[in-house]
Amino acid sequence: MKCYVCAKQGKTTEAVGICIVCGMGLCMEHVIREEREIWEGGYPFPAQKMKKTLPRILCRDCAEATSEG
Ligand SMILES: [Zn+2]
Ligand SMILES: [Zn+2]
């Protein structure tokens, strides 16, 4: 899979991760890896609070859309 953001810019960069929200491929430059404790509804996962923080791979758009501030 190629990075979707790079592909839009006419580049072909191999993706290193996939946004868990929208599913687009992301290269190291565009991947956003976050650890959040609170899990809200609306994700493709059960809405519940986890005991540990879990790393999540997000694209920039989804990171902004789901940021808590
Ligand atoms: Zn990229
Ligand atoms: Zn996304």
Side-chain angles (χ1 to χ4, degrees):
M1 180 183 284
K2 300 289 188 277
C3 171
Y4 183 83
V5 181
C6 286
K8 280 199 302 187
Q9 298 170 356
K11 295 183 287 184
T12 54
T13 308
E14 198 67 30
V16 297
I18 296 172
C19 173
I20 64 167
V21 178
C22 68
M24 71 167 67
L26 297 163
C27 70
M28 279 303 287
E29 184 182 344
H30 293 120
V31 71
I32 295 176
R33 188 171 175 278
E34 295 194 341
E35 299 206 13
R36 292 210 190 129
E37 189 175 354
I38 309 292
W39 286 61
E40 300 170 11
Y43 300 122
F45 292 95
Q48 59 180 318
K49 184 169 181 176
M50 311 297 281
K51 290 177 181 170
K52 286 174 54 180
T53 58
L54 292 177
R56 297 192 304 170
I57 300 253
L58 295 169
C59 68
R60 186 175 301 176
D61 287 348
C62 293
E64 287 179 2
T66 60
S67 84
E68 294 168 31

